[in-house]
Amino acid sequence: MLNFDFYNPTQILFGKGRIADLNKVVPSDAKVLLMYGGGSIKKNGVFDEVIAALGEREVSEFSGIEPNPTYETLLVAIDLVKTKKIDFLLAVGGGSVIDSAKFVAAAALFEGGEPWAILEKRGSNISKALPFGAILTLPATGSEMNSGSVVTRRSINAKMAFNSRHCFPKFSILDPSKTFTLPVRQIGNGAVDAFIHVMEQYLTYPVNSPVQDRFAEGLLKTIIEEGPKALANPEDYDVRANLMWCATMALNGIISTGVPQDWATHMIGHELTALHGLDHAQTLAIILPSMLRIRKEGKLEKLLQYAERVWDLREGDENACIDAAITCTQDFFEEMGVKTHLSDYALDADCITPILAALESHRMVTLGEKRDVTLDISRQVLELSL
Ligand code: NZQ
Ligand code: ZN
């Protein structure tokens, strides 16, 4: 096992009716900025519950945060925080809203010039951030219990990630019943994103880490079992609860302790979203199966373990088991309603060169757990994804 440093200070309040507990976790004298997206929280009653729970506190609002939040939008929020002297941010929504709160929290106190520098330095220049909490309505990204965030600068089509130990939510409220209103597309996206977060941390090479491996395999198997149930019975609370906790556990730092990590699929996926607007999970569902096929040799032992333990494929030739496991993975994404080819999104071979150019300009030229995913490998992956 590799050395590691585990830190995660986020308090999780999980279960039905927990929004009422906001009153206990937001300081009573806080000047709150309530941040949200395009209005789903107004339709499903979450907004009203939040306002009621905040009681007498001074609350301002910042709405209209788009999926794949933009730097341009968040600059407006940063201004608002400064002019209204906001001292607590409350993100209510999916990963896009929570990621936005992280960026605004850091940028509002940033003394290093233009806030874009935070993205350029991937967060290493953050020395403080405003406190913030989250109410999660879309289980997918794990943003509710991690310190990462992804922001897109529309003017230059750059989607960049940063993280900082100052950017963990103080708390996150996870009420699975608030996910009943998710559109089918977002149920599928959420399951696929969480699944691939686990894969990025698990499917590398063995370092004798049975605890992490079995945690990861447990998460993968649970997502495979529960995901289709959420599509079939959208108001099954237990199914939603299990999926929600899977998505959080998939990217809160626990399964990545002491193991190598990949993330090449995510880096290529971010460029696809920046250039073509695909949903985050759609990009991953396209890239991961080809990534595993192209890099089969380097991932052989873990692929075999994955085939055996996650898909119960242990009979016959090792290579055939691995191929079958990758096919099962791709079929699972399709079953969740997330298409797995570039052509399903009206993209053809012409999209490949610009994606490679973007990867190069963002210094994404030696990706993966062994830093051996060159631009040439990325090209092969994209070609196989057509
Ligand atoms: O904007 P509203 O109206 O709220 O609608 C949202 C949005 O249109 C809707 N939605 C959310 N909860 C709902 C709901 N609709 C009905 N009922 C509910 N309960 O869902 C749509 C998508 O929301 P979004 O927040 O964009 O989705 P997601 O949670 O998948 O977040 C994606 C973003 O997170 C980043 C992605 O790159 C992308 O920008 N990621 C963040 C990570 C992190 N912080 O660790 C890691 C991930 O790998 C990922 O990169
Ligand atoms: Zn992701």
Side-chain angles (χ1 to χ4, degrees):
M1 202 192 299
L2 312 176
N3 289 1
F4 67 87
D5 183 345
F6 178 72
Y7 173 72
N8 193 316
T10 301
Q11 179 183 357
I12 297 291
L13 296 88
F14 192 100
K16 237 177 245 170
R18 299 309 303 272
I19 292 177
D21 290 326
L22 263 180
N23 195 31
K24 295 183 196 150
V25 285
V26 177
S28 55
D29 57 350
K31 291 180 77 168
V32 180
L33 182 66
L34 175 54
M35 302 176 67
Y36 57 99
S40 69
I41 65 163
K42 291 229 163 143
K43 286 191 211 129
N44 61 16
V46 170
F47 178 86
D48 292 337
E49 279 184 48
V50 168
I51 294 292
L54 288 172
E56 300 298 303
R57 293 173 183 81
E58 194 179 318
V59 181
S60 305
E61 287 179 38
F62 185 81
S63 63
I65 294 171
E66 56 278 78
N68 310 304
T70 64
Y71 180 66
E72 287 81 355
T73 297
L74 300 183
L75 286 180
V76 182
I78 295 161
D79 268 352
L80 188 67
V81 165
K82 289 182 178 167
T83 45
K84 295 221 165 193
K85 301 196 174 3
I86 300 288
D87 57 21
F88 197 94
L89 308 179
L90 183 60
V92 187
S96 294
V97 175
I98 303 173
D99 282 8
S100 296
K102 291 175 183 176
F103 184 66
V104 172
L109 304 185
F110 187 60
E111 288 163 356
E114 206 204 334
W116 186 246
I118 292 174
L119 279 312
E120 280 173 339
K121 296 270 181 210
R122 311 211 191 280
S124 61
N125 49 0
I126 296 173
S127 56
K128 54 192 169 198
L130 286 174
F132 67 96
I135 296 171
L136 181 69
T137 63
L138 196 180
T141 63
S143 189
E144 65 278 7
M145 197 179 175
N146 69 37
S147 58
S149 164
V150 193
V151 173
T152 300
R153 190 163 190 174
R154 192 49 40 237
S155 61
I156 52 170
N157 277 344
K159 181 168 183 176
M160 311 275 278
F162 74 92
N163 71 78
S164 161
R165 61 189 281 128
H166 302 287
C167 291
F168 282 96
K170 295 285 170 217
F171 64 81
S172 283
I173 296 182
L174 278 55
D175 179 342
S177 68
K178 303 306 176 200
T179 69
F180 290 169
T181 56
L182 280 171
V184 169
R185 169 168 152 194
Q186 300 302 345
I187 298 174
N189 279 349
V192 167
D193 192 22
F195 190 95
I196 294 178
H197 290 159
V198 179
M199 294 292 271
E200 299 273 27
Q201 302 160 89
Y202 162 75
L203 221 146
T204 57
Y205 55 86
V207 290
N208 197 350
S209 54
V211 173
Q212 298 88 323
D213 283 6
R214 291 195 170 98
F215 266 135
E217 288 151 2
L219 293 171
L220 294 172
K221 288 187 84 121
T222 308
I223 298 167
I224 292 165
E225 282 168 16
E226 303 296 305
K229 293 186 202 162
L231 290 178
N233 301 306
E235 304 215 352
D236 184 323
Y237 177 85
D238 292 325
V239 167
R240 297 302 194 132
N242 286 317
L243 274 179
M244 203 167 203
W245 191 227
C246 270
T248 304
M249 288 296 290
L251 198 52
N252 64 2
I254 289 188
I255 63 166
S256 64
T257 51
V259 300
Q261 302 183 50
D262 185 340
W263 297 106
T265 295
H266 266 73
M267 294 308 117
I268 300 177
H270 286 171
E271 304 300 357
L272 256 171
T273 298
L275 293 170
H276 299 286
L278 273 61
D279 293 350
H280 173 62
Q282 293 172 338
T283 69
L284 308 178
I286 295 168
I287 301 296
L288 182 80
S290 321
M291 186 68 83
L292 296 179
R293 289 184 177 114
I294 297 283
R295 293 168 63 201
K296 194 154 84 177
E297 238 169 80
K299 291 177 176 287
L300 207 70
E301 287 162 285
K302 275 304 201 51
L303 274 169
L304 205 55
Q305 182 178 325
Y306 171 66
E308 277 181 26
R309 295 194 191 171
V310 177
W311 295 104
D312 297 317
L313 296 161
R314 27 180 87 80
E315 306 291 314
D317 176 60
E318 291 190 349
N319 239 318
C321 286
I322 290 174
D323 290 346
I326 299 173
T327 302
C328 287
T329 308
Q330 188 159 6
D331 290 348
F332 171 63
F333 300 158
E334 295 272 351
E335 183 186 358
M336 290 308 298
V338 187
K339 298 276 173 215
T340 57
H341 295 97
L342 286 164
S343 55
D344 295 320
Y345 303 89
L347 292 171
D348 59 23
D350 290 348
C351 76
I352 295 178
T353 303
I355 293 170
L356 296 173
L359 283 169
E360 187 167 21
S361 80
H362 299 139
R363 305 188 300 279
M364 302 290 178
V365 292
T366 51
L367 300 171
E369 65 273 17
K370 293 179 184 157
R371 316 308 296 164
D372 59 356
V373 181
T374 57
L375 285 181
D376 185 50
I377 302 282
S378 294
R379 174 186 295 281
Q380 292 175 38
V381 168
L382 286 160
E383 283 170 356
L384 196 62
S385 306
L386 289 167

